[in-house]
């Protein structure tokens, strides 16, 4: 799930990317992708969708696929695209114009819990739930410059995001989720807070973080979304979902948008801030 300046875009179960009216939730356009999408990210005037073994970038003004890449790409940032080798052991840097690999670094992880990537503060941040660690990588030299530990001792997904000068890591199966704040300069955890409603945790969900409107927003592993103050780490509000725990969350157009495929029905919800 992502958004542009006109309307939010949502992945659908029929292997398409939907553009949704932010006022009433109606589908405005549907772009066939030919495969199931796993995540979306913006790239210039396009919304890119990571598919099973490739990436399709959709021009939001024309509703057509403008570019395809032969790898499933995690994100764009610092002038490059970032993806993993099929076994998940190496992070690769890709030139977005030519689509060729320009650098590789071993990230010492496993595909038991897929590693996730964020880019900010001049570094690439790779989280590994299996290793319960986050690696800071220099995007120029493609070397690991720090490895952050100290997350909960549970076999869990670690999700990373950047915002307000910090790196944010969510551990989804630690209760209903725990949000950690990391100082990018020192590569140290500077605080954490529990998320959602632990008694209602299903052990899944919680695979996305949104940074918007002065807050951190988390899709929890209970059927909730938590809004966290980035300075105090206090949970400002917990929003209840009607469906299963959300896998993706985005904030925009005065609403909170969540999406989940955990129930097998591909549910999307819109909540008022």
């Amino acid at each position: 799930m992502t958004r542009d300046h006109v309307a939010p875009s949502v992945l659908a179960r029929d292997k398409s990317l939907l553009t949704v009216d932010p006022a009433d939730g109606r589908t405005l356009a549907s772009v066939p992708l030919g495969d199931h999408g796993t995540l979306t990210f913006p790239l210039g005037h396009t919304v890119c969708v990571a598919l099973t073994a490739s990436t399709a970038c959709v021009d939001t003004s024309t509703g057509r696929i403008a570019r395809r890449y032969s790898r499933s790409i995690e994100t764009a940032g610092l002038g490059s695209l970032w993806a993993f080798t099929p076994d998940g052991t190496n992070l690769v840097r890709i030139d977005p114009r030519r689509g060729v690999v320009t650098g590789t670094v071993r990230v010492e992880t496993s595909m038991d819990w897929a590693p996730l990537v964020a880019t900010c503060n001049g570094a690439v941040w790779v989280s590994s739930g299996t290793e319960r660690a986050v690696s800071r990588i220099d995007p120029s030299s493609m070397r690991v410059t720090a490895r952050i530990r100290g997350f909960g001792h549970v076999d869990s997904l670690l999700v990373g995001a950047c915002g307000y000068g910090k790196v944010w890591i969510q551990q989804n199966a630690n209760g209903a989720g725990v949000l950690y704040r990391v100082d990018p300069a020192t590569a140290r955890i500077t605080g954490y807070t529990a998320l959602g409603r632990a008694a209602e945790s299903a052990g899944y969900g919680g695979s996305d973080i949104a940074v918007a409107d002065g807050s951190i927003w988390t899709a929890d592993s209970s059927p909730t979304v938590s809004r966290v103050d980035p300075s105090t780490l206090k949970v400002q509000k917990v929003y209840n979902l009607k469906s299963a725990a959300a896998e993706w969350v985005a904030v925009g157009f005065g609403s909170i948008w969540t999406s989940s495929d955990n129930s097998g029905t591909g549910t999307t919800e819109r909540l008022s801030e």
Side-chain angles (χ1 to χ4, degrees):
M1 174 179 289
T2 189
R3 60 183 179 131
D4 56 31
H5 297 297
V6 179
S9 298
V10 180
L11 290 174
R13 285 176 58 80
D14 64 353
K15 302 180 182 180
S16 64
L17 181 71
L18 306 181
T19 300
V20 180
D21 189 320
D24 57 20
R26 290 182 302 112
T27 298
L28 300 176
S30 176
V31 181
L33 300 172
D35 196 0
H36 289 293
T38 57
L39 56 86
T40 64
F41 60 89
L43 179 63
H45 62 280
T46 67
V47 174
C48 295
V49 183
L51 307 172
T52 303
S54 64
T55 298
C57 295
V58 177
D59 187 320
T60 55
S61 62
T62 65
R64 296 181 178 181
I65 295 175
R67 176 74 186 266
R68 282 190 183 270
Y69 294 94
S70 60
R71 291 177 180 265
S72 182
I73 296 168
E74 291 281 324
T75 192
L78 306 176
S80 298
L81 303 176
W82 304 91
F84 291 99
T85 51
D87 61 1
T89 60
N90 290 276
L91 177 73
V92 297
R93 183 184 62 206
I94 299 170
D95 183 303
R97 185 177 60 84
R98 296 180 295 152
V100 299
V101 174
T102 59
T104 304
V105 61
R106 187 169 179 82
V107 290
E108 299 292 342
T109 187
S110 164
M111 293 304 286
D112 291 344
W113 287 103
L116 296 164
V117 181
T119 57
C120 65
N121 298 86
V124 183
W125 306 84
V126 179
S127 55
S128 168
T130 305
E131 302 295 327
R132 295 187 289 276
V134 174
S135 298
R136 184 182 66 192
I137 297 170
D138 184 309
S140 298
S141 66
M142 294 296 285
R143 293 183 178 180
V144 176
T145 58
R147 184 163 280 117
I148 307 163
R149 300 191 183 274
F151 303 101
H153 293 287
V154 293
D155 188 11
S156 173
L157 183 68
L158 287 181
V159 181
C162 298
Y164 313 117
K166 305 297 181 183
V167 178
W168 303 90
I169 304 296
Q170 180 183 2
Q171 189 172 37
N172 75 330
N174 194 341
V178 173
L179 180 68
Y180 296 85
R181 183 180 61 201
V182 174
D183 185 323
T186 62
R188 292 180 180 274
I189 296 172
T190 60
Y192 62 90
T193 190
L195 302 167
R197 307 188 195 284
E200 302 174 27
S201 175
Y204 52 74
S207 56
D208 200 14
I209 300 172
V211 179
D213 297 343
S215 299
I216 306 298
W217 308 75
T218 60
D220 308 324
S221 52
S222 56
T224 56
V225 170
S226 296
R227 181 175 188 172
V228 179
D229 185 304
S231 299
T232 64
L233 287 179
K234 290 184 178 180
V235 176
Q236 298 168 298
K237 187 173 181 178
V238 176
Y239 298 80
N240 294 314
L241 301 177
K242 295 178 181 178
S243 58
E247 293 175 282
W248 300 282
V249 62
V251 178
F253 310 100
S255 297
I256 306 159
W257 305 80
T258 69
S259 183
S260 174
D261 197 26
N262 287 320
S263 62
T265 59
T267 304
T268 298
E269 287 191 47
R270 181 184 63 186
L271 306 171
S272 298
E273 287 190 43

